[in-house]
Amino acid sequence: MNVSYILLLLALLPSTSPFHLFPPPRPVLNLHSSQKKFDCVIVGSGLGGLTAAATLQRLYGRDCVVLEQHEDAIGGVAHSFTLKNSAGPFQFDAGPSLLTGLSRPSYNPLRQIFDLLSLPMPPMIEYDGWKVQSKGEMKDLGLEGEGEGWVEFEVKTGGGGFGEEIERVFGREAMKLFTEFTDLILEKNGLYESSCGVPPFVLRGDKYAAITLTRSLPSLLKIGPKGGKILTSSFDKFYDSFISKSDRNPLAETFLRNYFNYLSFALSGYTMERTQTAPVAYMIGDLHLPGSSVNFPEKGTALGGIIDVLVSGIKEKGGTISNSENVKSLILNSSNKCIGVRSNDKDIFARDGVVLNVGIWSLPGILRETLRIGGEFDEGFLRERIEHAEGLIPETSKSGSFMHLYLGLKKLPTDPSNLHCHHSIILNQSLPISSPQNMVIISIPTIFDPTLAPEGYHVLHAYTAASEDFGDWEEFLKYDLEKEDGEFEGNCYKRDYEDMEGYKKLKEDKSQVLFDAVERIFPDIRSRLNSPENLISIGTPLTHRRFNRRGFGAYGPGVDSDSDTWKLLQTKALGIENLYMCGDCCFPGIGIPGVSASGCIAANTVVGVREHGREVKRGRKMGILQ
């Protein structure tokens, strides 16, 4: 997935749109001794923001502060939390729990950053896959026969095992087609190797990017413009090109299309038509190369331990992390340079730069509230920047939101061979996988770490994957959804005092699909949950929005598929000196590897190119940057 970073970085230019809202007159600030000063201010403690802060603090020696809106959680969607009942505490992941490329040195940007920063990656269990169950018409499942039914198979990692599983369930033709297609991607100089050709740590978001890329020039030349266009196009274009070259068994092709739509949707919240080729190619290698595996920490939640290490690593070198910070505005000086932010009515100044780990929908609001230190306020400059930020929003669609089901279960009798840490349940394969409430992801981390629950209990997290319409919940907000810019504004829900019954009814109706999916693993789950010894908590898109600080409760940004150039934000997208961006709205995009890469790209851009170049050279000498 990495070479597409530089291809996009060099190709994409900010776009503008007509100006809509002229900002009101802004106050002029005066410096005083009580104002706080740091080298760098990072707004948002998502994985991108923490990666940027850790890189700046530990590698480049910058004094950093991370400002987080949440009252007590750190990590954004990657945070973990605890729920309790009479049995005791249960620990849950708020977001992703399927990890690859972390148990050993790899191309995964997060693993590379940990190694570069001399941070200890939590010990990982390596396991060989997860279970998928799908319902639909036989022909839509890729099976012989008439009528409707269920198909079950295991996605096995590490080479040949999955081919055997495909042949067992879907037949020899499906296995041959899958092997031919993945061999094409994984062959020497193929898409996977090309996608890993440029480590993201060598990238910068400014005009000096070519300098730190010098050693990667052979990789860029090897892939060439044609290969670069393939990697930065939607994956369906490459897939359709492969399928069109000869006659294919229709049922085998149905299986293959289903599988790669499923992988794409799990990765990005979109099917092949709106998922970039580069991350899919990288994911195929991470799953299906010989020796590959899925990872889960030996102790703790999927990402909780990783977040803890990043936080400790920042603090160990003198960095600061602060919760309950409501950053509403930037501070510019008379030269239009960003020199800090205002949070909770206090001014926090940054000598070297401000990094925004926030969603694209929050940018216009932050810019409209911009303050200035001294001199006349340059309304023309700021008007242009607001125009630009507003113009980015129509080009960026939002994925769907989530329903969540968190269960603390008294251990239930089940066939151990049927119980995996991860399960994917597709309720109707005859519909697009992205259809509302069509896919449920289930994680049971106590399979690996029983201490996440009281003795004798399991923890289970089930969620609809990026397929909930946030508009269904608009009536329970205190303001019009169309006016929301994605920014969190405290407890802004009506349900505490208005139409509580309506909210409860919608919540009950929308959660049934989660119980239906869990029944595929524990058939008597509904009757057993009547016992008070079990813990039950249901989260809606409003919950996802509030506790994960996600604009509109979305999984992340999406880009329309009408162009080969994917218009993700760049590190310097806002065009303001000393202001940088990172996170899943930024290049290279959504997912743990993508947001980690965006954080280190932002950090590298803050510092000088010579300083960055020295660390690139050190990383290559250590064998971390291959």
Side-chain angles (χ1 to χ4, degrees):
M1 59 187 292
N2 301 353
V3 75
S4 66
Y5 300 173
I6 185 57
L7 294 169
L8 285 172
L9 192 66
L10 298 177
L12 301 184
L13 293 174
S15 60
T16 59
S17 71
F19 178 69
H20 298 297
L21 181 63
F22 191 85
R26 297 170 181 80
V28 174
L29 304 179
N30 296 310
L31 287 169
H32 53 80
S33 59
S34 64
Q35 293 166 335
K36 298 182 178 181
K37 296 182 182 179
F38 298 86
D39 292 328
C40 299
V41 173
I42 293 85
V43 180
S45 73
L47 195 53
L50 290 179
T51 300
T55 303
L56 287 163
Q57 189 80 44
R58 294 182 65 85
L59 205 63
Y60 296 124
R62 300 305 197 272
D63 181 24
C64 295
V65 59
V66 179
L67 306 177
E68 168 57 43
Q69 272 189 324
H70 201 289
E71 294 86 351
D72 50 26
I74 295 293
V77 181
H79 82 271
S80 58
F81 63 95
T82 300
L83 296 176
K84 296 181 180 180
N85 71 356
S86 59
F90 298 81
Q91 295 182 57
F92 295 95
D93 281 300
S97 57
L98 189 68
L99 310 176
T100 61
L102 297 180
S103 59
R104 62 187 78 180
S106 73
Y107 290 114
N108 188 306
L110 181 59
R111 175 69 203 217
Q112 290 186 345
I113 291 163
F114 264 61
D115 292 341
L116 284 166
L117 303 185
S118 300
L119 290 172
M121 180 64 67
M124 294 282 169
I125 294 169
E126 297 184 332
Y127 59 106
D128 66 354
W130 65 94
K131 189 166 187 176
V132 177
Q133 300 182 57
S134 184
K135 181 182 180 182
E137 295 291 330
M138 289 299 181
K139 62 181 178 59
D140 296 326
L141 295 171
L143 296 173
E144 298 278 0
E146 299 291 334
E148 191 177 71
W150 282 91
V151 64
E152 301 182 6
F153 63 95
E154 292 183 31
V155 177
K156 292 183 174 290
T157 61
F162 191 37
E164 296 171 1
E165 180 73 354
I166 295 170
E167 183 173 5
R168 180 185 72 81
V169 178
F170 297 96
R172 186 167 182 78
E173 290 300 315
M175 181 273 289
K176 289 171 60 178
L177 189 60
F178 171 82
T179 302
E180 183 182 350
F181 186 56
T182 52
D183 282 352
L184 177 65
I185 293 170
L186 300 176
E187 69 182 3
K188 184 174 177 59
N189 297 328
L191 288 180
Y192 171 74
E193 189 174 302
S194 298
S195 73
C196 298
V198 180
F201 186 78
V202 308
L203 302 180
R204 300 175 59 83
D206 59 17
K207 62 184 179 182
Y208 301 110
I211 296 175
T212 52
L213 272 167
T214 302
R215 286 282 300 275
S216 300
L217 186 59
S219 296
L220 292 173
L221 293 176
K222 187 184 297 183
I223 186 174
K226 183 177 179 181
K229 185 175 182 180
I230 293 173
L231 283 173
T232 56
S233 298
S234 56
F235 187 65
D236 70 308
K237 292 182 173 64
F238 177 78
Y239 176 90
D240 289 342
S241 174
F242 167 79
I243 291 297
S244 67
K245 289 180 180 177
S246 61
D247 292 334
R248 309 288 179 179
N249 178 289
L251 290 177
E253 199 277 321
T254 295
F255 158 75
L256 196 69
R257 183 174 293 275
N258 286 345
Y259 179 69
F260 283 102
N261 269 326
Y262 160 73
L263 272 190
S264 299
F265 192 73
L267 175 68
S268 70
Y270 295 96
T271 54
M272 287 192 288
E273 292 80 5
R274 297 181 66 184
T275 303
Q276 195 184 59
T277 298
V280 180
Y282 173 83
M283 190 176 187
I284 292 168
D286 246 12
L287 293 176
H288 298 306
L289 278 173
S292 59
S293 65
V294 190
N295 306 149
F296 203 89
E298 290 181 4
K299 295 292 182 182
T301 58
L303 286 173
I306 291 172
I307 297 299
D308 289 345
V309 172
L310 284 169
V311 169
S312 296
I314 293 166
K315 291 182 176 180
E316 181 185 33
K317 297 297 182 180
T320 303
I321 298 178
S322 181
N323 285 94
S324 298
E325 296 286 353
N326 189 15
V327 175
K328 285 286 190 178
S329 58
L330 306 175
I331 302 173
L332 305 186
N333 67 10
S334 57
S335 301
N336 294 322
K337 178 179 180 180
C338 185
I339 59 172
V341 300
R342 172 165 283 187
S343 176
N344 299 343
D345 297 321
K346 63 179 180 291
D347 304 320
I348 304 174
F349 291 93
R351 301 177 184 89
D352 295 341
V354 171
V355 179
L356 297 179
N357 180 200
V358 302
I360 186 173
W361 304 281
S362 297
L363 298 180
I366 291 174
L367 288 173
R368 291 184 198 117
E369 298 297 323
T370 294
L371 309 170
R372 180 179 294 285
I373 295 293
E376 293 293 326
F377 206 95
D378 188 347
E379 295 286 2
F381 171 79
L382 197 56
R383 182 190 305 179
E384 291 175 356
R385 296 303 88 210
I386 297 172
E387 282 184 32
H388 175 58
E390 290 180 333
L392 293 170
I393 291 175
E395 298 174 358
T396 307
S397 60
K398 302 177 291 293
S399 72
S401 190
F402 291 70
M403 288 291 298
H404 292 275
L405 175 63
Y406 298 104
L407 299 178
L409 297 171
K410 193 78 171 177
K411 284 189 177 177
L412 304 177
T414 185
D415 178 3
S417 66
N418 196 47
L419 192 59
H420 295 249
C421 180
H422 294 97
H423 297 253
S424 295
I425 313 295
I426 301 166
L427 280 304
N428 192 344
Q429 190 69 73
S430 301
L431 297 174
I433 196 168
S434 55
S435 299
Q437 298 201 316
N438 198 18
M439 183 168 78
V440 176
I441 304 294
I442 298 173
S443 173
I444 313 174
T446 37
I447 296 294
F448 295 132
D449 184 6
T451 66
L452 296 174
E455 185 176 357
Y457 284 78
H458 270 307
V459 158
L460 184 148
H461 176 204
Y463 54 93
T464 51
S467 61
E468 299 290 337
D469 184 355
F470 191 74
D472 292 342
W473 303 84
E474 175 184 358
E475 63 182 296
F476 304 107
L477 293 172
K478 291 180 181 177
Y479 51 85
D480 186 351
L481 178 65
E482 294 301 320
K483 297 178 181 178
E484 184 188 12
D485 61 9
E487 194 172 3
F488 180 77
E489 297 181 0
N491 188 6
C492 56
Y493 308 121
K494 295 179 182 177
R495 72 172 189 261
D496 290 335
Y497 56 90
E498 189 177 316
D499 194 19
M500 193 66 175
E501 291 306 312
Y503 175 80
K504 287 181 177 179
K505 179 65 166 59
L506 184 60
K507 183 176 180 178
E508 180 181 1
D509 291 346
K510 292 282 190 177
S511 65
Q512 293 310 304
V513 67
L514 299 171
F515 290 100
D516 292 343
V518 175
E519 277 185 327
R520 295 298 305 171
I521 307 170
F522 300 118
D524 58 350
I525 186 66
R526 280 185 165 92
S527 62
R528 288 181 174 269
L529 284 174
N530 291 329
S531 170
E533 63 186 359
N534 295 304
L535 181 146
I536 308 173
S537 182
I538 298 172
T540 70
L542 298 184
T543 315
H544 190 82
R545 175 186 180 276
R546 179 180 180 185
F547 289 101
N548 289 329
R549 268 37 179 193
R550 301 297 295 177
F552 307 97
Y555 179 44
V559 184
D560 292 334
S561 57
D562 59 355
S563 173
D564 285 342
T565 302
W566 290 65
K567 299 173 183 176
L568 294 165
L569 294 181
Q570 302 303 303
T571 304
K572 297 286 290 178
L574 295 181
I576 297 175
E577 186 179 356
N578 264 29
L579 183 64
Y580 309 89
M581 294 286 300
C582 69
D584 63 9
C585 286
C586 297
F587 171 80
I590 204 167
I592 293 169
V595 296
S596 303
S598 77
C600 72
I601 293 170
N604 294 338
T605 313
V606 169
V607 304
V609 66
R610 290 184 179 178
E611 196 172 358
H612 177 203
R614 285 196 297 268
E615 293 303 327
V616 170
K617 185 176 181 180
R618 182 180 69 87
R620 291 192 184 280
K621 187 175 181 180
M622 294 172 65
I624 297 170
L625 305 178
Q626 302 174 29

